[in-house]
Amino acid sequence: QVQLVESGGGLVQAGGSLRLSCAASGSISSINAMGWYRQAPGKQRVLVATITTGGNTNYADSVKGRFTISRDNTKNTVYLQMNPLKPEDTAVYYCNLNRGGIIYWGKGTLVTVSS
């Protein structure tokens, strides 16, 4: 089994920044990629950013140039630096891990951006 624990969410004013972290533990050999998704109230969960073991990244158009995903393979941790934040970034952010085609999810961390 794989466990993912997110942290770093909170309330911030528009234009501010937050850094999310997601630590993976358990059976985490052969990880293909990790990433972040978000789900705003009343909407579907959507991709924010992903990063492969080799460091290749992919971003949703809505966050390109504002968010940066990174990972520390020695700590099995993925980060999401978010700056500047907009009110439309308000959502629950979920960490995601792909291990051999099997997808695991964290429980999510709430990010609220006030205008």
Side-chain angles (χ1 to χ4, degrees):
Q1 271 293 357
V2 174
Q3 295 80 43
L4 300 172
V5 178
E6 303 105 331
S7 61
L11 173 63
V12 64
Q13 288 188 332
S17 62
L18 282 174
R19 188 194 194 206
L20 305 183
S21 299
C22 173
S25 61
S27 302
I28 53 177
S29 62
S30 303
I31 295 174
N32 299 110
M34 296 183 72
W36 292 94
Y37 287 68
R38 67 186 182 187
Q39 186 167 16
K43 297 188 177 181
Q44 290 187 330
R45 191 175 300 185
V46 296
L47 169 74
V48 176
T50 60
I51 185 167
T52 67
T53 304
N56 294 319
T57 58
N58 179 49
Y59 294 93
D61 288 343
S62 60
V63 306
K64 282 182 181 177
R66 299 190 299 121
F67 290 9
T68 302
I69 189 170
S70 61
R71 65 189 290 170
D72 184 337
N73 291 331
T74 64
K75 297 180 180 180
N76 296 313
T77 299
V78 64
Y79 305 97
L80 186 68
Q81 181 67 46
M82 305 184 292
N83 178 43
L85 282 158
K86 303 177 180 180
E88 52 264 42
D89 295 318
T90 294
V92 177
Y93 284 71
Y94 295 91
C95 180
N96 165 287
L97 182 151
N98 181 330
R99 190 193 71 172
I102 300 174
I103 306 299
Y104 298 89
W105 294 95
K107 293 183 178 181
T109 184
L110 177 63
V111 172
T112 304
V113 185
S114 63
S115 57

